Amino acid sequence: MSIERIESVVYGVDDLDECARFFVDFGLELVEHTEDRVVLTTQVKQRLVLKRNDDPTLPASVEATPGIREVVWGVDSQAALDALVENLRTDREVDVDQDGVAHTYDETGFGLGLALTDPVQLNYDPRKYNSSGRVERWNQPHTEITDITPIRICHVALNIPKEGRHEAVDFYLNRLNFRATDIVEPMGVFMQVEGDDDQHNFLLCHRPDRAGTNHTSYEVSGFDDVIEGGNHMIQKGWREARRLGRHTVGSNVFRFIHNPAGGRVEYAADMDRVDDTYGPNVHAETPPHHIWVLETNRDTPAPNTSEGTALP
Ligand SMILES: [Fe+2]
């Protein structure tokens, strides 16, 4: 009985139509677009919900700018959900709505929901790669990727103040049974939910020393999708936030785009999968952000030529 996954992420936004366009371009499926609300889904039917900043049905905001108001976690049974709610009610109010979704707040003030999950079992075809001794693609050219469709929201990263950071993390570890996988003392704590095996599903990052939206990450089918997804977003006029690279903690290949709904979104592939024999690894110093990032000097003049200035 456990929390299995992120069930939905709810944002309060300035411009509903612009944010809807952003997430459609990003590859999510639009399932509802009204005056007041936009709902999009991943392939496994997690929901991304956008509402206007001043919508009274939204949980209170921890930041002045648009951003995440609530993360709803998917629980695998009604009994487990009831037990979690009963525990949370020992020290905070929990409202259960007409759909059976429980709503409360975490230690930082972010909205926190719990819902019964009904994961879609995907029978999708992951990108196949060939190398000598390991051939995944026989008699089959690599075809053009016409649509990037994120498989799932694989993690959410929230910023928190330094003061109270231990209580903020302990709430998830002790009350929701998350597991710390990597504790980066100067930066934040990476956590995994009980029912998943990604190296992290959640990050509470205290480095910025204020509460706010950091990013949401979406798993795509392969490296090509990370690259092509970013290319597609750039072509649609959205702004890249980081160069393509591969993270150190979690090992995922990443590409980040600035999100008009708040923070950034990440296309991710090849995240480490870990079980409870992994960690928690305690890092007294922050590991390098990435193993590699894309570098190019293609567009800068070469030194020692008539095009450029010789280096000293
Ligand atoms: Fe990430």
Side-chain angles (χ1 to χ4, degrees):
M1 297 203 302
S2 64
I3 291 176
E4 298 284 293
R5 67 175 192 173
I6 295 157
E7 200 63 29
S8 58
V9 180
V10 182
Y11 285 83
V13 307
D14 288 334
D15 187 331
L16 209 52
D17 293 339
E18 181 193 37
C19 293
R21 185 166 63 83
F22 175 84
F23 280 105
V24 167
D25 288 344
F26 190 70
L28 299 186
E29 184 181 353
L30 183 67
V31 295
E32 183 183 326
H33 189 167
T34 66
E35 271 291 297
D36 304 319
R37 191 170 89 143
V38 173
V39 180
L40 306 103
T41 58
T42 62
Q43 287 193 48
V44 296
K45 305 305 177 195
Q46 295 156 301
R47 289 154 53 94
L48 185 84
V49 181
L50 308 170
K51 293 182 179 181
R52 298 182 194 284
N53 258 328
D54 56 1
D55 189 318
T57 66
L58 280 173
S61 181
V62 298
E63 54 192 332
T65 51
I68 292 174
R69 296 292 188 93
E70 182 179 47
V71 179
V72 180
W73 300 93
V75 187
D76 66 348
S77 73
Q78 188 63 50
L81 200 159
D82 292 343
L84 290 167
V85 168
E86 188 182 336
N87 176 287
L88 291 173
R89 279 187 168 147
T90 57
D91 67 350
R92 66 200 66 214
E93 279 189 24
V94 183
D95 294 323
V96 179
D97 69 20
Q98 58 192 13
D99 298 320
V101 181
H103 303 276
T104 187
Y105 288 92
D106 73 2
E107 297 299 287
T108 309
F110 286 104
L112 162 72
L114 295 169
L116 199 55
T117 187
D118 186 17
V120 173
Q121 296 306 317
L122 265 192
N123 191 22
Y124 83 102
D125 195 16
R127 299 277 165 240
K128 297 184 174 72
Y129 296 98
N130 290 345
S131 58
S132 295
R134 194 200 65 183
V135 177
E136 297 176 339
R137 216 175 60 247
W138 282 105
N139 305 316
Q140 188 187 345
H142 187 101
T143 51
E144 185 185 354
I145 300 171
T146 52
D147 291 310
I148 307 299
T149 51
I151 298 165
R152 63 191 183 111
I153 305 171
C154 51
H155 59 264
V156 171
L158 300 176
N159 296 329
I160 60 172
K162 287 181 177 166
E163 190 178 338
R165 65 185 183 276
H166 298 297
E167 291 80 2
V169 170
D170 285 347
F171 171 78
Y172 285 93
L173 301 182
N174 299 334
R175 308 292 292 282
L176 299 178
N177 305 320
F178 286 29
R179 201 171 67 79
T181 49
D182 282 87
I183 299 166
V184 181
E185 288 178 338
M187 190 274 273
V189 178
F190 294 83
M191 290 172 261
Q192 184 191 57
V193 299
E194 273 188 295
D196 197 42
D197 49 16
D198 273 22
Q199 181 272 339
H200 66 280
N201 307 108
F202 194 46
L203 166 64
L204 286 180
C205 180
H206 63 257
R207 188 166 53 195
D209 198 15
R210 59 181 147 69
T213 304
N214 190 309
H215 70 276
T216 48
S217 181
Y218 295 77
E219 186 188 20
V220 290
S221 191
F223 311 138
D224 294 82
D225 303 70
V226 174
I227 297 164
E228 293 259 46
N231 288 349
H232 176 75
M233 292 301 277
I234 289 167
Q235 286 157 13
K236 289 286 185 179
W238 305 108
R239 295 289 302 169
E240 186 167 31
R242 281 187 189 280
R243 283 172 187 259
L244 168 75
R246 185 184 276 276
H247 276 304
T248 306
V249 177
S251 302
N252 50 305
V253 174
F254 62 77
R255 210 164 177 193
F256 284 88
I257 314 293
H258 287 294
N259 177 6
R264 295 156 294 143
V265 291
E266 175 183 24
Y267 287 115
D270 198 29
M271 165 76 86
D272 291 339
R273 262 58 173 185
V274 305
D275 60 24
D276 57 11
T277 63
Y278 175 94
N281 302 313
V282 179
H283 308 268
E285 293 182 10
T286 305
H289 173 268
H290 50 262
I291 297 168
W292 57 261
V293 290
L294 180 70
E295 291 185 15
T296 178
N297 62 5
R298 168 67 181 76
D299 300 321
T300 51
N304 296 317
T305 70
S306 58
E307 296 173 36
T309 308
L311 293 171

